[in-house]
């Protein structure tokens, strides 16, 4: 069994601690608590690593002595075939090289963290066992006891390490929980900072919305003030008069159509295509075609066909007078100051809508962040429970 596999197994089967005397700490004290635990873990790790180093030094001394003994064995005296002697000699040489390499690996082993140390030393054992197995088997054909002594020292060292790791298995769990807790705290802190910025943005958006509404209200008040102005009221009266005149003008034009004898006009110009087109156009849509040239073309045809009469002339005069009156009234009307203000209101309403949509998005983001923070705090509490610690608000 690999050393680290064994360690992983014993940590996995760790029994749950009793809740009796469960420690309670406030969220505000988490950082100090974690720092204290981190220092505690560091002190324990250092003691363990010193202990392991002492045992390593003892092992190295033992191995050097036993290597010397193994190298001193006279293979030729074993009275075996030369082929076997050669195979055993090669196995001894290679195995001792692997043991010496194993010693150098132990000497150069980094001791920067308990969990990492376990992983690295496990790799050393794995590589040694894998690479030295065949050489050991060959050497033990003739050199059994001396080679077994070397292997027994390594086995004994391995058992001592497993015992040390087993007795201190809680350190790795605690280190992992501390690391995970630090990560979770950083995530919570970042989420809270983001939440703070989102809340500030919502407040800013509320302020902008209020300002825009106030601006809109001021413009509405300004419009109401303009509408009460005497000149504005006069212009409204003129606009009503223009509307009335335009309605009358439309009726006059239609009544003018009733005065025209289109049948007589058609009979008069039936052989002239251009004139007939004018007659047909006016007969089908008199209003539109009359307005194109103020009735000039149809009046010319009436004059040419001698179909003009006093009633027609009077109606044309009446129409032209009303047109002039409409033009005069339009010229007298000042520019409507409220139009620009209403345009501003339209833009402000759009801006308010955009700001409110943005606020809604930020509020949803705020809700999501709060939920995320709550979930992370729950996870944090669960991690602390593993250390028999209750987090309280």
């Amino acid at each position: 069994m690999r050393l680290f596999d064994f360690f992983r197994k014993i940590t996995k089967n760790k029994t749950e601690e009793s809740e009796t005397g469960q420690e309670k700490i406030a969220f505000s004290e988490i950082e100090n608590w974690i720092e204290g635990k981190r220092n505690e873990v560091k002190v324990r790790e250092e003691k363990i690593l010193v202990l392991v180093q002492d045992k390593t030094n003892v092992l190295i001394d033992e191995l050097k002595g036993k290597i010397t003994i193994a190298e001193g064995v006279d293979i030729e005296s074993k009275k075996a075939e030369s082929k076997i002697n050669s195979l055993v000699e090669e196995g001894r040489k290679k195995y001792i090289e692997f043991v010496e390499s194993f010693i150098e690996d132990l000497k150069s082993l980094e001791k920067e963290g308990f969990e990492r140390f376990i992983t690295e030393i496990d790799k050393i054992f794995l590589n040694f066992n894998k690479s030295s197995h065949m050489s050991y088997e060959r050497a033990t054909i003739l050199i059994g006891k001396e080679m077994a002594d070397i292997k027994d020292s390594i086995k004994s060292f391995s058992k001592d390490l497993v015992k040390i790791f087993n007795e201190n298995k809680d350190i790795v769990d605690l280190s992992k929980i501390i690391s995970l807790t630090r990560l979770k705290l950083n995530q919570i802190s970042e989420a809270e900072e983001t939440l703070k910025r989102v809340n500030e943005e919502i407040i800013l958006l509320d302020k902008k919305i209020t300002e825009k509404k106030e601006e809109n209200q001021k413009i509405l008040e300004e419009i109401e003030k303009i509408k009460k102005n005497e000149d504005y009221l006069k212009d409204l009266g003129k606009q009503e008069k223009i509307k009335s005149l335009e309605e009358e003008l439309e009726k006059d034009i239609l009544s003018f159509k009733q005065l025209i004898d289109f049948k007589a006009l058609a009979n008069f110009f039936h052989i002239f295509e251009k004139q007939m087109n004018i007659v047909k156009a006016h007969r089908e849509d008199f209003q539109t075609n009359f307005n194109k040239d103020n009735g000039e073309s149809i009046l010319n045809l009436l004059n040419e066909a001698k179909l003009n009469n006093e009633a027609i002339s009077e109606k044309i005069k009446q129409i032209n007078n009303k047109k002039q009156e409409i033009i005069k009234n339009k010229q007298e009307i000042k520019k409507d100051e409220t139009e620009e203000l209403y345009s501003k209101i339209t833009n402000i309403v759009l801006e308010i809508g955009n700001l409110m949509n943005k606020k809604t998005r930020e509020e949803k983001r705020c809700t999501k962040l709060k939920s995320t923070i709550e979930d992370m705090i729950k996870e944090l509490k669960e991690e602390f429970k593993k250390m028999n610690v209750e987090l309280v608000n």
Side-chain angles (χ1 to χ4, degrees):
M1 181 183 292
R2 291 173 57 190
L3 181 65
F4 187 64
D5 286 339
F6 179 79
F7 178 76
R8 187 164 50 196
K9 181 179 178 182
I10 60 177
T11 54
K12 184 177 180 182
N13 294 331
K14 180 184 176 184
T15 56
E16 293 183 5
E17 296 182 43
S18 170
E19 293 188 0
T20 305
Q22 187 179 45
E23 186 180 359
K24 291 185 179 183
I25 62 169
F27 271 97
S28 58
E29 296 296 321
I30 288 179
E31 285 290 347
N32 292 335
W33 189 90
I34 289 175
E35 187 61 26
K37 286 295 178 184
R38 192 186 69 81
N39 291 332
E40 179 186 320
V41 167
K42 187 176 180 183
V43 170
R44 286 184 61 188
E45 283 183 347
E46 288 174 355
K47 287 180 179 179
I48 294 166
L49 293 175
V50 168
L51 178 60
V52 171
Q53 185 61 58
D54 290 341
K55 289 189 176 293
T56 302
N57 293 337
V58 171
L59 172 69
I60 291 171
D61 290 340
E62 280 184 12
L63 290 177
K64 285 180 179 179
K66 290 180 178 182
I67 286 171
T68 301
I69 293 171
E71 286 177 331
V73 174
D74 184 3
I75 296 174
E76 297 298 327
S77 66
K78 301 293 183 180
K79 298 180 181 181
E81 294 180 11
S82 59
K83 184 178 180 182
I84 293 176
N85 286 349
S86 177
L87 187 68
V88 171
E89 179 63 44
E90 180 66 21
R92 175 175 65 178
K93 180 183 175 183
K94 285 289 185 183
Y95 185 74
I96 289 172
E97 285 178 0
F98 286 128
V99 172
E100 288 173 340
S101 178
F102 172 73
I103 290 170
E104 291 304 314
D105 287 341
L106 290 178
K107 285 181 179 180
S108 61
L109 186 61
E110 294 287 339
K111 301 176 180 66
E112 294 182 354
F114 192 43
E115 184 178 4
R116 183 177 175 184
F117 176 76
I118 293 171
T119 303
E120 293 302 316
I121 205 168
D122 187 52
K123 287 180 182 177
I124 292 172
F125 271 94
L126 178 66
N127 291 335
F128 172 73
N129 290 332
K130 184 178 179 181
S131 59
S132 67
H133 176 72
M134 186 62 70
S135 299
Y136 178 81
E137 293 298 322
R138 288 176 179 177
T140 54
I141 294 172
L142 297 177
I143 315 173
K145 180 180 180 302
E146 291 81 3
M147 300 304 292
D149 284 346
I150 294 174
K151 190 170 186 179
D152 287 344
S153 290
I154 295 173
K155 274 186 178 180
S156 178
F157 176 67
S158 175
K159 287 179 180 178
D160 286 344
L161 290 184
V162 169
K163 183 180 178 183
I164 292 169
F165 297 157
N166 187 28
E167 290 171 349
N168 297 278
K169 60 185 179 291
D170 60 309
I171 293 180
V172 173
D173 288 338
L174 189 55
S175 295
K176 286 180 179 178
I177 292 171
I178 288 172
S179 297
L180 183 61
T181 300
R182 280 188 174 278
L183 175 63
K184 195 66 68 178
L185 282 174
N186 288 336
Q187 290 174 340
I188 291 172
S189 179
E190 288 173 5
E192 285 178 340
E193 282 297 318
T194 304
L195 180 61
K196 181 182 176 183
R197 290 194 296 271
V198 170
N199 281 325
E200 287 172 352
E201 179 65 16
I202 290 171
I203 291 170
L204 182 62
L205 288 169
D206 273 331
K207 184 180 178 183
K208 287 181 178 179
I209 290 169
T210 300
E211 288 172 352
K212 288 296 176 182
K213 285 181 177 180
E214 289 174 353
E215 183 182 353
N216 191 58
Q217 184 59 37
K218 286 180 181 178
I219 294 173
L220 287 172
E221 289 172 1
E222 190 175 347
I223 289 172
E224 289 303 312
K225 186 178 178 181
I226 290 170
K227 286 182 176 181
K228 293 176 182 178
N229 185 280
E230 187 177 343
D231 290 338
Y232 183 84
L233 293 173
K234 285 181 179 178
D235 286 343
L236 280 181
K238 288 176 182 176
Q239 287 173 359
E240 288 297 322
K241 186 175 181 181
I242 289 168
K243 184 180 178 182
S244 177
L245 287 170
E246 286 174 342
E247 289 173 355
E248 291 177 10
L249 179 62
E250 187 176 343
K251 291 177 182 178
D252 287 339
I253 292 172
L254 290 174
S255 63
F256 174 40
K257 179 183 179 181
Q258 305 303 319
L259 297 174
I260 298 172
D261 187 348
F262 282 100
K263 186 176 180 180
L265 270 177
N267 288 334
F268 188 83
F269 292 109
H270 71 279
I271 61 173
F272 302 101
E273 183 179 358
K274 182 179 179 181
Q275 286 84 349
M276 276 303 296
N277 287 336
I278 294 173
V279 173
K280 288 178 181 178
H282 279 75
R283 184 166 54 195
E284 291 171 3
D285 188 357
F286 189 82
Q287 184 90 21
T288 301
N289 287 282
F290 181 89
N291 286 329
K292 283 181 181 179
D293 59 2
N294 289 323
E296 184 178 343
S297 57
I298 193 69
L299 194 59
N300 288 337
L301 293 181
L302 289 170
N303 289 331
E304 192 176 342
K306 299 188 184 305
L307 293 173
N308 197 348
N309 54 46
E310 189 176 341
I312 289 175
S313 297
E314 184 61 31
K315 183 56 71 175
I316 286 291
K317 183 179 178 182
Q318 186 181 358
I319 289 170
N320 288 334
N321 286 339
K322 281 185 180 173
K323 282 191 173 186
Q324 288 301 315
E325 190 175 358
I326 289 169
I327 292 169
K328 181 183 176 184
N329 278 282
K330 284 183 176 180
Q331 289 174 343
E332 289 176 354
I333 294 175
K334 297 176 183 178
K335 182 183 177 182
D336 190 348
E337 296 178 20
T338 63
E339 287 182 5
E340 187 175 343
L341 294 175
Y342 277 122
S343 178
K344 284 184 179 180
I345 285 176
T346 301
N347 291 332
I348 290 171
V349 169
L350 288 173
E351 287 178 30
I352 290 173
N354 291 334
L355 288 169
M356 291 185 77
N357 288 338
K358 189 174 181 181
K359 180 187 172 185
T360 300
R361 289 196 298 272
E362 292 300 311
E363 285 174 338
K364 288 180 180 178
R365 190 181 174 198
C366 181
T367 301
K368 188 175 180 180
L369 279 167
K370 285 179 180 178
S371 177
T372 300
I373 292 170
E374 287 175 3
D375 289 342
M376 287 193 290
I377 289 174
K378 286 179 182 177
E379 291 173 10
L380 196 61
K381 286 182 176 181
E382 289 302 315
E383 290 301 322
F384 269 80
K385 278 184 181 179
K386 296 175 184 177
M387 296 182 284
N388 199 28
V389 176
E390 181 184 356
L391 282 179
V392 292
N393 296 332

Short mmCIF file of all heavy atoms in Angstrom, two decimals, residues 253-275:
data_model
loop_
_atom_site.label_atom_id
_atom_site.label_comp_id
_atom_site.label_asym_id
_atom_site.label_seq_id
_atom_site.Cartn_x
_atom_site.Cartn_y
_atom_site.Cartn_z
N ILE A 253 -64.83 74.60 -52.00
CA ILE A 253 -64.23 73.95 -53.17
C ILE A 253 -65.17 72.87 -53.71
O ILE A 253 -65.35 72.73 -54.92
CB ILE A 253 -62.85 73.35 -52.80
CG1 ILE A 253 -61.86 74.49 -52.53
CG2 ILE A 253 -62.33 72.45 -53.92
CD1 ILE A 253 -60.53 74.04 -51.97
N LEU A 254 -65.79 72.13 -52.77
CA LEU A 254 -66.74 71.10 -53.19
C LEU A 254 -67.99 71.72 -53.85
O LEU A 254 -68.52 71.17 -54.82
CB LEU A 254 -67.15 70.24 -51.99
CG LEU A 254 -66.05 69.32 -51.44
CD1 LEU A 254 -66.54 68.63 -50.18
CD2 LEU A 254 -65.64 68.28 -52.48
N SER A 255 -68.40 72.87 -53.31
CA SER A 255 -69.57 73.53 -53.90
C SER A 255 -69.23 74.13 -55.26
O SER A 255 -70.09 74.23 -56.16
CB SER A 255 -70.10 74.62 -52.96
OG SER A 255 -69.14 75.63 -52.77
N PHE A 256 -67.92 74.52 -55.40
CA PHE A 256 -67.45 75.04 -56.70
C PHE A 256 -67.55 73.93 -57.76
O PHE A 256 -67.92 74.16 -58.91
CB PHE A 256 -66.01 75.54 -56.53
CG PHE A 256 -65.36 75.97 -57.82
CD1 PHE A 256 -66.05 76.68 -58.80
CD2 PHE A 256 -64.03 75.67 -58.08
CE1 PHE A 256 -65.45 77.11 -59.97
CE2 PHE A 256 -63.42 76.08 -59.25
CZ PHE A 256 -64.13 76.79 -60.20
N LYS A 257 -67.24 72.70 -57.34
CA LYS A 257 -67.32 71.56 -58.25
C LYS A 257 -68.75 71.40 -58.78
O LYS A 257 -68.95 71.07 -59.97
CB LYS A 257 -66.88 70.28 -57.52
CG LYS A 257 -66.94 69.03 -58.41
CD LYS A 257 -66.58 67.79 -57.63
CE LYS A 257 -66.67 66.55 -58.52
NZ LYS A 257 -66.35 65.31 -57.80
N GLN A 258 -69.73 71.65 -57.89
CA GLN A 258 -71.13 71.48 -58.28
C GLN A 258 -71.55 72.49 -59.36
O GLN A 258 -72.52 72.26 -60.09
CB GLN A 258 -72.05 71.62 -57.05
CG GLN A 258 -71.70 70.68 -55.90
CD GLN A 258 -71.72 69.22 -56.31
OE1 GLN A 258 -72.60 68.80 -57.07
NE2 GLN A 258 -70.73 68.47 -55.83
N LEU A 259 -70.80 73.62 -59.43
CA LEU A 259 -71.14 74.67 -60.40
C LEU A 259 -70.61 74.36 -61.80
O LEU A 259 -70.99 75.01 -62.77
CB LEU A 259 -70.58 76.02 -59.93
CG LEU A 259 -71.14 76.56 -58.60
CD1 LEU A 259 -70.39 77.82 -58.20
CD2 LEU A 259 -72.63 76.85 -58.72
N ILE A 260 -69.71 73.40 -61.91
CA ILE A 260 -69.06 73.11 -63.18
C ILE A 260 -69.87 72.06 -63.96
O ILE A 260 -70.26 71.03 -63.41
CB ILE A 260 -67.61 72.60 -62.96
CG1 ILE A 260 -66.78 73.68 -62.27
CG2 ILE A 260 -66.97 72.17 -64.28
CD1 ILE A 260 -65.40 73.21 -61.84
N ASP A 261 -70.06 72.34 -65.25
CA ASP A 261 -70.76 71.40 -66.14
C ASP A 261 -69.70 70.55 -66.82
O ASP A 261 -69.16 70.90 -67.88
CB ASP A 261 -71.58 72.17 -67.18
CG ASP A 261 -72.48 71.25 -68.01
OD1 ASP A 261 -72.26 70.01 -67.93
OD2 ASP A 261 -73.34 71.75 -68.70
N PHE A 262 -69.34 69.45 -66.18
CA PHE A 262 -68.26 68.60 -66.69
C PHE A 262 -68.64 67.95 -68.03
O PHE A 262 -67.78 67.69 -68.87
CB PHE A 262 -67.91 67.50 -65.66
CG PHE A 262 -67.05 68.02 -64.53
CD1 PHE A 262 -67.60 68.33 -63.29
CD2 PHE A 262 -65.68 68.18 -64.72
CE1 PHE A 262 -66.81 68.80 -62.26
CE2 PHE A 262 -64.89 68.65 -63.67
CZ PHE A 262 -65.45 68.95 -62.43
N LYS A 263 -69.95 67.71 -68.22
CA LYS A 263 -70.39 67.10 -69.47
C LYS A 263 -70.14 68.04 -70.63
O LYS A 263 -69.64 67.64 -71.69
CB LYS A 263 -71.87 66.75 -69.37
CG LYS A 263 -72.40 65.99 -70.58
CD LYS A 263 -73.85 65.60 -70.37
CE LYS A 263 -74.38 64.82 -71.59
NZ LYS A 263 -75.78 64.42 -71.43
N ALA A 264 -70.46 69.34 -70.42
CA ALA A 264 -70.24 70.33 -71.47
C ALA A 264 -68.76 70.50 -71.74
O ALA A 264 -68.33 70.65 -72.90
CB ALA A 264 -70.87 71.67 -71.06
N LEU A 265 -67.95 70.49 -70.66
CA LEU A 265 -66.49 70.61 -70.81
C LEU A 265 -65.95 69.44 -71.63
O LEU A 265 -65.11 69.62 -72.52
CB LEU A 265 -65.80 70.64 -69.44
CG LEU A 265 -65.60 71.99 -68.77
CD1 LEU A 265 -64.98 71.82 -67.39
CD2 LEU A 265 -64.74 72.92 -69.62
N ALA A 266 -66.42 68.25 -71.32
CA ALA A 266 -65.94 67.05 -72.00
C ALA A 266 -66.33 67.09 -73.48
O ALA A 266 -65.53 66.72 -74.35
CB ALA A 266 -66.52 65.80 -71.34
N ASN A 267 -67.54 67.55 -73.77
CA ASN A 267 -67.98 67.65 -75.16
C ASN A 267 -67.13 68.66 -75.93
O ASN A 267 -66.81 68.45 -77.11
CB ASN A 267 -69.44 68.07 -75.23
CG ASN A 267 -70.36 66.94 -74.79
OD1 ASN A 267 -70.00 65.76 -74.89
ND2 ASN A 267 -71.54 67.28 -74.28
N PHE A 268 -66.74 69.74 -75.24
CA PHE A 268 -65.98 70.80 -75.88
C PHE A 268 -64.54 70.36 -76.18
O PHE A 268 -63.99 70.68 -77.25
CB PHE A 268 -65.96 72.06 -74.99
CG PHE A 268 -65.35 73.26 -75.66
CD1 PHE A 268 -66.09 74.06 -76.53
CD2 PHE A 268 -64.00 73.57 -75.45
CE1 PHE A 268 -65.51 75.17 -77.14
CE2 PHE A 268 -63.42 74.66 -76.07
CZ PHE A 268 -64.17 75.46 -76.92
N PHE A 269 -63.94 69.61 -75.25
CA PHE A 269 -62.51 69.24 -75.39
C PHE A 269 -62.32 67.75 -75.73
O PHE A 269 -61.22 67.24 -75.58
CB PHE A 269 -61.76 69.54 -74.07
CG PHE A 269 -61.64 71.01 -73.76
CD1 PHE A 269 -62.37 71.57 -72.72
CD2 PHE A 269 -60.81 71.84 -74.52
CE1 PHE A 269 -62.26 72.91 -72.41
CE2 PHE A 269 -60.71 73.19 -74.21
CZ PHE A 269 -61.43 73.74 -73.16
N HIS A 270 -63.35 67.10 -76.23
CA HIS A 270 -63.25 65.64 -76.39
C HIS A 270 -62.19 65.22 -77.38
O HIS A 270 -61.71 64.08 -77.34
CB HIS A 270 -64.63 65.07 -76.80
CG HIS A 270 -65.02 65.41 -78.19
ND1 HIS A 270 -65.58 66.64 -78.54
CD2 HIS A 270 -64.95 64.69 -79.35
CE1 HIS A 270 -65.83 66.64 -79.82
NE2 HIS A 270 -65.46 65.48 -80.35
N ILE A 271 -61.77 66.10 -78.27
CA ILE A 271 -60.75 65.72 -79.26
C ILE A 271 -59.35 66.18 -78.81
O ILE A 271 -58.37 65.91 -79.51
CB ILE A 271 -61.08 66.30 -80.65
CG1 ILE A 271 -61.12 67.81 -80.59
CG2 ILE A 271 -62.36 65.69 -81.20
CD1 ILE A 271 -61.28 68.46 -81.98
N PHE A 272 -59.29 66.84 -77.66
CA PHE A 272 -57.99 67.32 -77.15
C PHE A 272 -57.59 66.52 -75.90
O PHE A 272 -58.21 66.66 -74.84
CB PHE A 272 -58.06 68.82 -76.81
CG PHE A 272 -58.47 69.68 -77.98
CD1 PHE A 272 -59.78 70.15 -78.10
CD2 PHE A 272 -57.55 70.00 -78.99
CE1 PHE A 272 -60.16 70.93 -79.16
CE2 PHE A 272 -57.94 70.80 -80.06
CZ PHE A 272 -59.25 71.25 -80.15
N GLU A 273 -56.58 65.66 -76.11
CA GLU A 273 -56.19 64.71 -75.03
C GLU A 273 -55.75 65.41 -73.75
O GLU A 273 -56.17 65.03 -72.66
CB GLU A 273 -55.07 63.79 -75.53
CG GLU A 273 -54.68 62.73 -74.50
CD GLU A 273 -53.60 61.82 -75.03
OE1 GLU A 273 -53.18 61.98 -76.21
OE2 GLU A 273 -53.16 60.95 -74.24
N LYS A 274 -54.90 66.43 -73.88
CA LYS A 274 -54.36 67.11 -72.70
C LYS A 274 -55.48 67.73 -71.87
O LYS A 274 -55.55 67.56 -70.64
CB LYS A 274 -53.36 68.17 -73.13
CG LYS A 274 -52.72 68.90 -71.97
CD LYS A 274 -51.71 69.94 -72.47
CE LYS A 274 -51.09 70.68 -71.30
NZ LYS A 274 -50.11 71.72 -71.76
N GLN A 275 -56.38 68.45 -72.53
CA GLN A 275 -57.48 69.10 -71.84
C GLN A 275 -58.45 68.07 -71.24
O GLN A 275 -58.98 68.27 -70.14
CB GLN A 275 -58.23 70.04 -72.80
CG GLN A 275 -57.50 71.33 -73.13
CD GLN A 275 -56.48 71.17 -74.26
OE1 GLN A 275 -56.18 70.04 -74.66
NE2 GLN A 275 -55.96 72.28 -74.75
#
